[in-house]
């Protein structure tokens, strides 16, 4: 099930990079109001699991991805609940070109037990992410990359007890790359906020 979701999500992102996504409703992009340079700390609940209860809207997530979503529109179906957060931004339809057709997504899911990512290990583009913070928190992290020539879709998934975070971005011509290390830092900073 999880493998199917990730493959579908990666394929959807590849299409959005090519400008084939459904246009999102036009919104003003929120401005950055928070310093995200602080060192990550553990944001845990009473039972020791990590939590994203402090995230009340996608406006709370946007400052952490401001570098990559400048000029992008929020999805009209962004959602925040106690068990799941899905925030995304993409290029306004009128601005889409092969060089800037891009989307960025951040997803949180409340998952207490360690997921089994081993079925993904044999897939093309799979790469484990080694990080001291992830290891210290008994977590797991990996990236999936789909290279489509002029750009690449890169999805980074981080699990720490209580939370799975997926940050999807990629590599685009002449724009900041949202790769595995950047996605991991975004997740760490949001969990520490």
């Amino acid at each position: 099930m999880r493998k199917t979701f990730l493959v579908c999500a990666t394929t959807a992102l590849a299409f959005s990079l090519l400008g084939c996504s459904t246009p999102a409703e036009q919104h003003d992009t929120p401005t950055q109001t928070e310093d995200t340079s602080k060192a990550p700390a553990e944001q845990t609940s009473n039972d020791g699991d990590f939590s994203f209860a402090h995230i009340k809207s996608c406006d709370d997530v946007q400052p952490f991805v401001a570098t990559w979503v400048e000029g992008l529109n929020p999805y009209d179906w962004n959602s925040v609940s106690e068990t799941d957060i899905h925030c995304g931004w993409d290029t306004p339809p009128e601005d889409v070109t092969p060089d800037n057709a891009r989307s960025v997504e951040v997803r949180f899911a409340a998952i207490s037990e360690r997921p089994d990512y081993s079925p993904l290990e044999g897939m093309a583009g799979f790469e484990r992410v080694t990080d001291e913070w992830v290891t210290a928190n008994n977590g797991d992290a990996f990236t999936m990359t789909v290279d489509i020539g002029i750009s690449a879709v890169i999805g980074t998934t981080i699990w720490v007890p209580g939370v799975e975070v997926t940050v999807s971005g990629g590599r685009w011509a002449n724009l900041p790359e949202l790769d595995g290390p950047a996605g991991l830092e975004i997740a760490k900073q949001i969990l520490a906020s």
Side-chain angles (χ1 to χ4, degrees):
M1 177 78 170
R2 180 166 302 282
K3 180 177 179 181
T4 303
F5 171 77
L6 186 58
V7 170
C8 291
T10 302
T11 303
L13 280 169
F15 283 129
S16 69
L17 283 172
L18 292 172
C20 299
S21 62
T22 304
E25 184 178 320
Q26 195 117 26
H27 296 281
D28 291 329
T29 303
T31 57
Q32 185 167 353
T33 58
E34 187 172 336
D35 178 11
T36 60
S37 63
K38 61 184 177 180
E42 294 186 8
Q43 179 78 25
T44 59
S45 63
N46 292 337
D47 59 6
D49 283 358
F50 281 79
S51 170
F52 52 84
H54 60 291
I55 302 296
K56 304 301 182 189
S57 76
C58 289
D59 289 345
D60 296 334
V61 174
Q62 191 274 340
F64 298 96
V65 292
T67 297
W68 299 277
V69 302
E70 183 177 353
L72 303 186
N73 287 342
Y75 292 163
D76 57 359
W77 44 265
N78 282 346
S79 63
V80 175
S81 74
E82 292 181 4
T83 58
D84 186 80
I85 294 174
H86 194 168
C87 301
W89 301 262
D90 64 3
T91 304
E94 65 275 11
D95 296 336
V96 171
T97 68
D99 289 340
N100 77 347
R102 57 194 171 110
S103 64
V104 172
E105 295 186 18
V106 179
R107 183 181 176 109
F108 289 79
I111 301 177
S112 294
E113 294 184 17
R114 177 187 294 270
D116 179 10
Y117 298 121
S118 61
L120 301 175
E121 292 179 357
M123 295 180 68
F126 179 91
E127 184 179 347
R128 288 267 176 210
V129 175
T130 304
D131 180 81
E132 290 180 9
W133 179 85
V134 173
T135 302
N137 286 291
N138 194 30
D140 201 355
F142 66 92
T143 62
M144 292 290 291
T145 302
V146 178
D147 196 326
I148 53 177
I150 60 172
S151 58
V153 178
I154 304 171
T156 304
T157 298
I158 302 96
W159 177 85
V160 288
V163 179
E164 182 184 70
V165 184
T166 300
V167 179
S168 301
R171 182 184 69 245
W172 309 279
N174 304 316
L175 293 165
E177 185 171 325
L178 180 45
D179 58 5
L184 177 59
E185 286 305 312
I186 289 166
K188 288 160 62 173
Q189 294 291 343
I190 293 173
L191 289 173
S193 64

